[in-house]
Amino acid sequence: SRPILDMSYSRQFLDFQGSSIPSSMKKLVVTKLSQNFREAVTLQQDSPVPLPGDGDLLVRNRFVGINASDINYSAGRYDASVKPPFDIGFEGVGEVVALGLSASADYTVGQAVAYVKAGSFAEYTVVPARQAVPLPSVKPEFLTLMVSGATAYLSLKELGDLSEGKKVLVTAAAGGTGQFAVQLAKKAKCHVIGTCSSDEKGGFLKSIGCDRAINYKTENVESVLRKDYPEGVDVVYESVGGKMFDLALNALAIKGRLIVIGFIAGYQNPTGLQPIKAELLPAKLLKKSASVRGFFLNHYLSDYKMALQHLLKMYERGDLVCEVDFGDMSPEGKFTGLESVFRAVDYMYMGKNIGKIVVELPHSVNSKL
């Protein structure tokens, strides 16, 4: 029985194409804490499809986003009290296929929604209606804004103090969140420098307005910054960590600000962080009246909906490029189905992606007719 569903609408047991909601589904589950994603995570073939409560939506996921922090989550670095097994995946886009009675006041079956909630690496996810974001259609581009776009927007708005003529350095600039930091800094009339790992990525960065792309495989980032920006850079949007953090810190101008949104170089290490030369940090900051600030999206959720609405409007007006990487250029081809999440995570850590890595979950409709 499904007593929590609105029994008066038989459609709410069906998706909008007339196929039954199955009783079981595939999903990814963390079964062991490890920074090795393949060791930590198991694909379960026949998990029960969850039931939505009164204020919930049951979303059939069509696209799910890959984040560097998926590895931090599967390694147990965010919340030591959470013990395996637990669901994984932070964001999804799909259609509402069933919903509780209260939720039906604002949503209908077939509606496109996006959400940020643990457990998106599954064919179906229960999402509280108040956490869902209604969308005009199911498009992977919307997924790029949910975590990556919102992180770039809120961190630069709250901590960046951007203004015309400021010099902004974005590390991993062609990645899922870097692409937005570049574009938003350009919209604030800043001079933007981006680091990347290939000429192809450099070309992409120029296409979205980056003034100077530095390919760190062929150029010495430190030398370029010292030569071309002798006065230093005003803001650094930093997500790499390790040596890149040290280099960015040294490149700060007087009153410069370094915003840490991640340190991907350390996520796959058994020990976690790569060491930085932090013992010199107080002296370096004092000498330049500079600052280092951390940014974690979960601490800014009160501003999240505002940020997302702003980004969605920008995208719909054509003012924002939302680059999606489905892994078409990866050795085994496009990331399709939950089993390809493992490949997608590897692809990200090899630094191959341009834009946000997204996995498509195809759906075969078993019509009842």
Side-chain angles (χ1 to χ4, degrees), residues 24-54:
S24 65
M25 65 172 187
K26 293 181 188 173
K27 71 173 179 176
L28 294 186
V29 178
V30 176
T31 48
K32 170 190 169 186
L33 297 182
S34 170
Q35 74 288 335
N36 180 327
F37 192 82
R38 288 177 182 270
E39 276 183 18
V41 178
T42 304
L43 174 61
Q44 296 191 346
Q45 298 283 351
D46 53 357
S47 295
V49 171
L51 286 173
D54 180 60

mmCIF file of all heavy atoms in Angstrom, residues 24-54:
data_model
loop_
_atom_site.group_PDB
_atom_site.id
_atom_site.type_symbol
_atom_site.label_atom_id
_atom_site.label_comp_id
_atom_site.label_asym_id
_atom_site.label_seq_id
_atom_site.Cartn_x
_atom_site.Cartn_y
_atom_site.Cartn_z
ATOM 1 N N SER A 24 11.656 -1.872 -7.848
ATOM 2 C CA SER A 24 13.076 -1.862 -7.495
ATOM 3 C C SER A 24 13.865 -1.043 -8.515
ATOM 4 O O SER A 24 13.395 -0.782 -9.624
ATOM 5 C CB SER A 24 13.629 -3.286 -7.420
ATOM 6 O OG SER A 24 13.599 -3.890 -8.696
ATOM 7 N N MET A 25 15.077 -0.646 -8.123
ATOM 8 C CA MET A 25 15.888 0.240 -8.966
ATOM 9 C C MET A 25 17.373 0.005 -8.668
ATOM 10 O O MET A 25 17.747 -0.653 -7.695
ATOM 11 C CB MET A 25 15.549 1.696 -8.669
ATOM 12 C CG MET A 25 15.924 2.107 -7.250
ATOM 13 S SD MET A 25 15.736 3.874 -6.952
ATOM 14 C CE MET A 25 16.445 4.013 -5.300
ATOM 15 N N LYS A 26 18.203 0.604 -9.525
ATOM 16 C CA LYS A 26 19.646 0.617 -9.276
ATOM 17 C C LYS A 26 20.018 1.885 -8.512
ATOM 18 O O LYS A 26 19.431 2.946 -8.747
ATOM 19 C CB LYS A 26 20.415 0.646 -10.607
ATOM 20 C CG LYS A 26 20.296 -0.600 -11.440
ATOM 21 C CD LYS A 26 21.139 -0.407 -12.707
ATOM 22 C CE LYS A 26 20.927 -1.530 -13.689
ATOM 23 N NZ LYS A 26 21.612 -1.274 -14.971
ATOM 24 N N LYS A 27 21.006 1.758 -7.635
ATOM 25 C CA LYS A 27 21.564 2.958 -7.007
ATOM 26 C C LYS A 27 22.988 2.671 -6.535
ATOM 27 O O LYS A 27 23.384 1.502 -6.396
ATOM 28 C CB LYS A 27 20.696 3.440 -5.838
ATOM 29 C CG LYS A 27 20.720 2.573 -4.595
ATOM 30 C CD LYS A 27 19.950 3.273 -3.469
ATOM 31 C CE LYS A 27 19.927 2.423 -2.202
ATOM 32 N NZ LYS A 27 19.279 3.124 -1.084
ATOM 33 N N LEU A 28 23.743 3.740 -6.322
ATOM 34 C CA LEU A 28 25.093 3.608 -5.801
ATOM 35 C C LEU A 28 25.069 3.842 -4.293
ATOM 36 O O LEU A 28 24.425 4.777 -3.809
ATOM 37 C CB LEU A 28 26.043 4.617 -6.452
ATOM 38 C CG LEU A 28 26.309 4.439 -7.952
ATOM 39 C CD1 LEU A 28 27.373 5.426 -8.414
ATOM 40 C CD2 LEU A 28 26.751 3.027 -8.284
ATOM 41 N N VAL A 29 25.797 2.997 -3.577
ATOM 42 C CA VAL A 29 25.821 3.058 -2.116
ATOM 43 C C VAL A 29 27.270 2.977 -1.642
ATOM 44 O O VAL A 29 28.056 2.181 -2.163
ATOM 45 C CB VAL A 29 25.012 1.882 -1.508
ATOM 46 C CG1 VAL A 29 25.063 1.900 0.007
ATOM 47 C CG2 VAL A 29 23.569 1.930 -1.984
ATOM 48 N N VAL A 30 27.622 3.837 -0.684
ATOM 49 C CA VAL A 30 28.941 3.739 -0.056
ATOM 50 C C VAL A 30 28.890 2.586 0.941
ATOM 51 O O VAL A 30 28.118 2.618 1.895
ATOM 52 C CB VAL A 30 29.326 5.053 0.658
ATOM 53 C CG1 VAL A 30 30.665 4.892 1.392
ATOM 54 C CG2 VAL A 30 29.400 6.198 -0.336
ATOM 55 N N THR A 31 29.674 1.535 0.686
ATOM 56 C CA THR A 31 29.659 0.353 1.559
ATOM 57 C C THR A 31 30.923 0.260 2.404
ATOM 58 O O THR A 31 31.022 -0.560 3.307
ATOM 59 C CB THR A 31 29.509 -0.929 0.720
ATOM 60 O OG1 THR A 31 30.446 -0.891 -0.371
ATOM 61 C CG2 THR A 31 28.101 -1.041 0.148
ATOM 62 N N LYS A 32 31.910 1.130 2.095
ATOM 63 C CA LYS A 32 33.165 1.120 2.855
ATOM 64 C C LYS A 32 33.789 2.501 2.708
ATOM 65 O O LYS A 32 33.796 3.056 1.606
ATOM 66 C CB LYS A 32 34.083 0.048 2.255
ATOM 67 C CG LYS A 32 35.510 0.065 2.764
ATOM 68 C CD LYS A 32 36.367 -0.867 1.907
ATOM 69 C CE LYS A 32 37.834 -0.676 2.222
ATOM 70 N NZ LYS A 32 38.680 -1.455 1.313
ATOM 71 N N LEU A 33 34.288 3.068 3.791
ATOM 72 C CA LEU A 33 34.910 4.393 3.698
ATOM 73 C C LEU A 33 36.300 4.267 3.075
ATOM 74 O O LEU A 33 37.145 3.531 3.572
ATOM 75 C CB LEU A 33 35.016 5.045 5.081
ATOM 76 C CG LEU A 33 33.694 5.348 5.794
ATOM 77 C CD1 LEU A 33 33.951 6.038 7.124
ATOM 78 C CD2 LEU A 33 32.787 6.208 4.919
ATOM 79 N N SER A 34 36.499 4.968 1.972
ATOM 80 C CA SER A 34 37.799 4.952 1.301
ATOM 81 C C SER A 34 37.880 6.139 0.365
ATOM 82 O O SER A 34 36.869 6.553 -0.217
ATOM 83 C CB SER A 34 37.963 3.661 0.481
ATOM 84 O OG SER A 34 39.109 3.736 -0.353
ATOM 85 N N GLN A 35 39.087 6.725 0.206
ATOM 86 C CA GLN A 35 39.250 7.800 -0.763
ATOM 87 C C GLN A 35 39.369 7.237 -2.183
ATOM 88 O O GLN A 35 39.397 7.968 -3.147
ATOM 89 C CB GLN A 35 40.459 8.689 -0.423
ATOM 90 C CG GLN A 35 41.809 8.092 -0.708
ATOM 91 C CD GLN A 35 42.170 6.988 0.274
ATOM 92 O OE1 GLN A 35 41.673 6.970 1.389
ATOM 93 N NE2 GLN A 35 43.015 6.076 -0.150
ATOM 94 N N ASN A 36 39.404 5.894 -2.295
ATOM 95 C CA ASN A 36 39.332 5.233 -3.594
ATOM 96 C C ASN A 36 37.852 4.974 -3.884
ATOM 97 O O ASN A 36 37.226 4.092 -3.289
ATOM 98 C CB ASN A 36 40.127 3.921 -3.567
ATOM 99 C CG ASN A 36 40.083 3.196 -4.904
ATOM 100 O OD1 ASN A 36 39.096 3.259 -5.631
ATOM 101 N ND2 ASN A 36 41.160 2.508 -5.237
ATOM 102 N N PHE A 37 37.297 5.773 -4.797
ATOM 103 C CA PHE A 37 35.856 5.739 -5.056
ATOM 104 C C PHE A 37 35.379 4.346 -5.455
ATOM 105 O O PHE A 37 34.327 3.881 -5.009
ATOM 106 C CB PHE A 37 35.530 6.761 -6.150
ATOM 107 C CG PHE A 37 34.062 7.035 -6.326
ATOM 108 C CD1 PHE A 37 33.399 7.920 -5.491
ATOM 109 C CD2 PHE A 37 33.337 6.406 -7.331
ATOM 110 C CE1 PHE A 37 32.039 8.167 -5.653
ATOM 111 C CE2 PHE A 37 31.984 6.662 -7.508
ATOM 112 C CZ PHE A 37 31.335 7.545 -6.662
ATOM 113 N N ARG A 38 36.165 3.666 -6.287
ATOM 114 C CA ARG A 38 35.762 2.324 -6.745
ATOM 115 C C ARG A 38 35.726 1.315 -5.599
ATOM 116 O O ARG A 38 34.935 0.375 -5.620
ATOM 117 C CB ARG A 38 36.693 1.837 -7.854
ATOM 118 C CG ARG A 38 36.477 2.562 -9.176
ATOM 119 C CD ARG A 38 37.470 2.096 -10.231
ATOM 120 N NE ARG A 38 37.296 2.818 -11.493
ATOM 121 C CZ ARG A 38 36.492 2.434 -12.487
ATOM 122 N NH1 ARG A 38 35.780 1.333 -12.365
ATOM 123 N NH2 ARG A 38 36.398 3.158 -13.583
ATOM 124 N N GLU A 39 36.593 1.492 -4.612
ATOM 125 C CA GLU A 39 36.582 0.605 -3.440
ATOM 126 C C GLU A 39 35.441 0.948 -2.492
ATOM 127 O O GLU A 39 34.879 0.076 -1.834
ATOM 128 C CB GLU A 39 37.902 0.746 -2.661
ATOM 129 C CG GLU A 39 39.035 -0.089 -3.198
ATOM 130 C CD GLU A 39 40.287 0.052 -2.328
ATOM 131 O OE1 GLU A 39 40.167 0.506 -1.162
ATOM 132 O OE2 GLU A 39 41.362 -0.276 -2.828
ATOM 133 N N ALA A 40 35.119 2.227 -2.427
ATOM 134 C CA ALA A 40 34.138 2.690 -1.432
ATOM 135 C C ALA A 40 32.697 2.409 -1.843
ATOM 136 O O ALA A 40 31.834 2.204 -1.001
ATOM 137 C CB ALA A 40 34.318 4.188 -1.189
ATOM 138 N N VAL A 41 32.455 2.424 -3.157
ATOM 139 C CA VAL A 41 31.067 2.493 -3.651
ATOM 140 C C VAL A 41 30.670 1.216 -4.381
ATOM 141 O O VAL A 41 31.446 0.650 -5.154
ATOM 142 C CB VAL A 41 30.908 3.721 -4.581
ATOM 143 C CG1 VAL A 41 29.496 3.796 -5.140
ATOM 144 C CG2 VAL A 41 31.244 5.000 -3.826
ATOM 145 N N THR A 42 29.438 0.770 -4.135
ATOM 146 C CA THR A 42 28.896 -0.436 -4.760
ATOM 147 C C THR A 42 27.638 -0.081 -5.540
ATOM 148 O O THR A 42 26.812 0.709 -5.065
ATOM 149 C CB THR A 42 28.513 -1.468 -3.666
ATOM 150 O OG1 THR A 42 29.668 -1.730 -2.872
ATOM 151 C CG2 THR A 42 28.002 -2.763 -4.269
ATOM 152 N N LEU A 43 27.491 -0.665 -6.736
ATOM 153 C CA LEU A 43 26.257 -0.498 -7.509
ATOM 154 C C LEU A 43 25.277 -1.583 -7.075
ATOM 155 O O LEU A 43 25.535 -2.769 -7.270
ATOM 156 C CB LEU A 43 26.552 -0.611 -9.006
ATOM 157 C CG LEU A 43 25.331 -0.609 -9.935
ATOM 158 C CD1 LEU A 43 24.534 0.682 -9.822
ATOM 159 C CD2 LEU A 43 25.751 -0.840 -11.385
ATOM 160 N N GLN A 44 24.174 -1.176 -6.449
ATOM 161 C CA GLN A 44 23.151 -2.133 -6.030
ATOM 162 C C GLN A 44 22.071 -2.223 -7.104
ATOM 163 O O GLN A 44 21.547 -1.203 -7.551
ATOM 164 C CB GLN A 44 22.549 -1.712 -4.688
ATOM 165 C CG GLN A 44 23.586 -1.739 -3.570
ATOM 166 C CD GLN A 44 22.993 -1.592 -2.187
ATOM 167 O OE1 GLN A 44 21.837 -1.208 -2.017
ATOM 168 N NE2 GLN A 44 23.801 -1.892 -1.182
ATOM 169 N N GLN A 45 21.747 -3.440 -7.499
ATOM 170 C CA GLN A 45 20.869 -3.653 -8.653
ATOM 171 C C GLN A 45 19.394 -3.633 -8.317
ATOM 172 O O GLN A 45 18.567 -3.299 -9.143
ATOM 173 C CB GLN A 45 21.196 -5.015 -9.305
ATOM 174 C CG GLN A 45 22.605 -5.121 -9.850
ATOM 175 C CD GLN A 45 22.783 -4.395 -11.174
ATOM 176 O OE1 GLN A 45 21.807 -3.945 -11.784
ATOM 177 N NE2 GLN A 45 24.018 -4.257 -11.620
ATOM 178 N N ASP A 46 19.044 -4.021 -7.094
ATOM 179 C CA ASP A 46 17.605 -4.175 -6.810
ATOM 180 C C ASP A 46 17.221 -3.561 -5.476
ATOM 181 O O ASP A 46 16.646 -4.210 -4.612
ATOM 182 C CB ASP A 46 17.202 -5.659 -6.863
ATOM 183 C CG ASP A 46 18.084 -6.517 -5.966
ATOM 184 O OD1 ASP A 46 19.033 -5.966 -5.356
ATOM 185 O OD2 ASP A 46 17.822 -7.729 -5.863
ATOM 186 N N SER A 47 17.539 -2.283 -5.321
ATOM 187 C CA SER A 47 17.100 -1.544 -4.137
ATOM 188 C C SER A 47 15.630 -1.179 -4.312
ATOM 189 O O SER A 47 15.192 -0.889 -5.430
ATOM 190 C CB SER A 47 17.907 -0.256 -3.984
ATOM 191 O OG SER A 47 19.248 -0.567 -3.735
ATOM 192 N N PRO A 48 14.864 -1.158 -3.216
ATOM 193 C CA PRO A 48 13.455 -0.756 -3.360
ATOM 194 C C PRO A 48 13.350 0.718 -3.772
ATOM 195 O O PRO A 48 14.119 1.545 -3.294
ATOM 196 C CB PRO A 48 12.861 -0.988 -1.968
ATOM 197 C CG PRO A 48 14.022 -1.179 -1.048
ATOM 198 C CD PRO A 48 15.210 -1.568 -1.858
ATOM 199 N N VAL A 49 12.419 1.008 -4.660
ATOM 200 C CA VAL A 49 12.156 2.408 -5.019
ATOM 201 C C VAL A 49 11.523 3.070 -3.793
ATOM 202 O O VAL A 49 10.549 2.556 -3.250
ATOM 203 C CB VAL A 49 11.221 2.501 -6.239
ATOM 204 C CG1 VAL A 49 10.779 3.942 -6.483
ATOM 205 C CG2 VAL A 49 11.920 1.951 -7.484
ATOM 206 N N PRO A 50 12.078 4.190 -3.325
ATOM 207 C CA PRO A 50 11.557 4.795 -2.094
ATOM 208 C C PRO A 50 10.184 5.420 -2.310
ATOM 209 O O PRO A 50 9.814 5.784 -3.437
ATOM 210 C CB PRO A 50 12.598 5.875 -1.766
ATOM 211 C CG PRO A 50 13.217 6.228 -3.085
ATOM 212 C CD PRO A 50 13.193 4.965 -3.909
ATOM 213 N N LEU A 51 9.426 5.518 -1.229
ATOM 214 C CA LEU A 51 8.099 6.135 -1.287
ATOM 215 C C LEU A 51 8.192 7.589 -0.845
ATOM 216 O O LEU A 51 8.797 7.887 0.187
ATOM 217 C CB LEU A 51 7.143 5.413 -0.344
ATOM 218 C CG LEU A 51 6.650 4.032 -0.770
ATOM 219 C CD1 LEU A 51 5.858 3.404 0.364
ATOM 220 C CD2 LEU A 51 5.788 4.139 -2.013
ATOM 221 N N PRO A 52 7.559 8.493 -1.585
ATOM 222 C CA PRO A 52 7.544 9.890 -1.136
ATOM 223 C C PRO A 52 6.583 10.073 0.033
ATOM 224 O O PRO A 52 5.510 9.477 0.061
ATOM 225 C CB PRO A 52 7.062 10.649 -2.375
ATOM 226 C CG PRO A 52 6.289 9.650 -3.175
ATOM 227 C CD PRO A 52 6.879 8.303 -2.881
ATOM 228 N N GLY A 53 6.981 10.887 1.000
ATOM 229 C CA GLY A 53 6.079 11.237 2.094
ATOM 230 C C GLY A 53 5.116 12.336 1.664
ATOM 231 O O GLY A 53 5.112 12.758 0.496
ATOM 232 N N ASP A 54 4.337 12.830 2.576
ATOM 233 C CA ASP A 54 3.276 13.796 2.260
ATOM 234 C C ASP A 54 3.809 15.044 1.558
ATOM 235 O O ASP A 54 3.205 15.553 0.626
ATOM 236 C CB ASP A 54 2.561 14.192 3.560
ATOM 237 C CG ASP A 54 1.456 15.195 3.291
ATOM 238 O OD1 ASP A 54 0.534 14.860 2.525
ATOM 239 O OD2 ASP A 54 1.525 16.317 3.819
#
